Structure formats: structure tokens, C-alpha cells
Amino acid sequence: WFYRKEVGRQERDTTKLKEHIEQVIDWAMNPEKNCLMLHGGVGCGKTTMLNAFCKMIQKLYYSNISFIRRGFQWETADMITQWAKNDNRRYENFKVCEWVAIDDIGIEPNEITDYGNIIYPIRDILMHRYENDLVTIISTNLTPKLLTEKYGTRIGDRLAEMMQIVKFDEESYRR
């Protein structure tokens, strides 16, 4: 319902949309891998799906439905990169949180300089989450191959191991 409300400005065949919802729910209920990647072109519904899923998880975690309280945060890759330079405490808290969702990976600068130190915020977060087997959800316009080119073979290889991929190949909903 929420997803349809957000994306449903145009009348379209909802077969693919239903498949994406089923894939995300299936991953959440029976994860084969600890991480989920939503990837596809611009405007095809990845961020809307991510936001709807994150809101659902937040409602479940912070309600009477669940007695288990886990850390859960979501933010854009660009904002996380800014935290790495300007709010290190927030950046480190995000990096170690039990569940995180990172929207729009690939748009942020690959590296930043802070007082002469070169920092690779998203690459470092992905490596930390891989090493500690933490739940991670990402959305990106980049293919796995382009992510490997951006973050290096080491991260690309780990992403291939840890990510279950949901590919959005629809046209932009904005047009």
C-alpha cells in the first residue's frame, strides 16, 4: 500500500513491482545472505522501496509487536560521507549499528580528506559490515561491476558474496 501510494502516480503494469516487494520480503524473512542490494536505473523505485521497508522495520522494532530492540538506521551515502568528516561519532555509530540501510551508494565522493588524512567512508563501512556480519541494505544506480570499479576489487568481491540482489529494470516513474 505505502509503496503503491508513493510510486503510483502513473498507471503501469504492477507485475514487476509485486515481484520486487516479494523479493525484499523473502530476503527479510529467509535471508540467504546478510545484505540486500536494490539496484537499477534512475527513478525506478529503489529509494521508495528502501524507505517503505525501513519504515516497516522501524515500526516492528519499536512497537509492542517485538520485544527485541535492535539498532536500526538509514541514510544517504552522501550524508554518511559528510558525517565521516564533520561528525565522526555519528559516523562510527552508524558503522557499527546492527542494521543499516544506505541509499544511493555511488553518488558520494570515493574519498575525503580530513586534516590531511584520506578517508574512504562508504568503502570502510562496507568492509566493517562484511567483517562483522552485520545486516546491510543498499540502493544504487550502479551495477555490481560499476560498484567494483568505484570501490575496488576487494570490496566488489565481498559485495558479491554478501549481497542478495534485487534488480529494478523499469523505466523512470518520474517521466
Side-chain angles (χ1 to χ4, degrees):
W1 167 83
F2 176 81
Y3 189 76
R4 183 164 171 72
K5 179 180 167 190
E6 291 291 314
V7 174
R9 285 181 269 209
Q10 301 176 29
E11 287 299 316
R12 296 203 176 189
D13 180 10
T14 58
T15 306
K16 285 280 197 180
L17 171 61
K18 290 175 187 172
E19 287 175 19
H20 296 323
I21 292 170
E22 288 172 4
Q23 289 173 316
V24 170
I25 291 171
D26 184 53
W27 171 81
M29 301 303 291
N30 306 299
E32 294 174 22
K33 299 185 177 188
N34 216 25
C35 301
L36 178 69
M37 176 193 298
L38 310 175
H39 95 87
V42 175
C44 64
K46 300 175 306 294
T47 295
T48 303
M49 177 71 79
L50 181 71
N51 286 338
F53 182 75
C54 290
K55 287 178 183 181
M56 179 189 72
I57 294 297
Q58 237 181 358
K59 291 251 186 228
L60 291 173
Y61 274 11
Y62 302 107
S63 72
N64 292 333
I65 296 170
S66 174
F67 295 106
I68 300 169
R69 299 292 181 249
R70 293 187 168 105
F72 181 76
Q73 298 182 45
W74 84 89
E75 192 53 75
T76 64
D78 199 39
M79 181 58 73
I80 295 164
T81 301
Q82 291 177 36
W83 291 345
K85 185 170 185 170
N86 303 321
D87 192 348
N88 193 56
R89 185 175 184 188
R90 193 165 188 183
Y91 171 76
E92 289 298 327
N93 286 339
F94 186 88
K95 185 163 93 174
V96 300
C97 187
E98 187 174 1
W99 279 58
V100 300
I102 307 172
D103 189 27
D104 253 347
I105 281 189
I107 63 160
E108 80 289 347
N110 210 21
E111 64 183 45
I112 57 174
T113 304
D114 186 32
Y115 297 106
N117 299 317
I118 298 175
I119 305 168
Y120 304 90
I122 298 301
R123 185 193 75 182
D124 293 346
I125 283 177
L126 293 173
M127 182 61 77
H128 176 82
R129 302 195 67 74
Y130 171 81
E131 291 170 346
N132 292 282
D133 204 26
L134 297 170
V135 177
T136 308
I137 307 164
I138 66 171
S139 75
T140 182
N141 293 333
L142 303 179
T143 64
K145 181 180 178 185
L146 290 174
L147 285 172
T148 298
E149 289 175 15
K150 179 167 178 69
Y151 299 111
T153 306
R154 194 166 179 227
I155 293 295
D157 190 54
R158 284 163 175 78
L159 285 176
E161 178 187 344
M162 66 192 259
M163 293 283 175
Q164 184 168 323
I165 298 172
V166 177
K167 184 178 180 188
F168 287 68
D169 52 8
E170 294 82 2
E171 294 179 24
S172 174
Y173 285 102
R174 297 185 189 115
R175 292 186 214 143

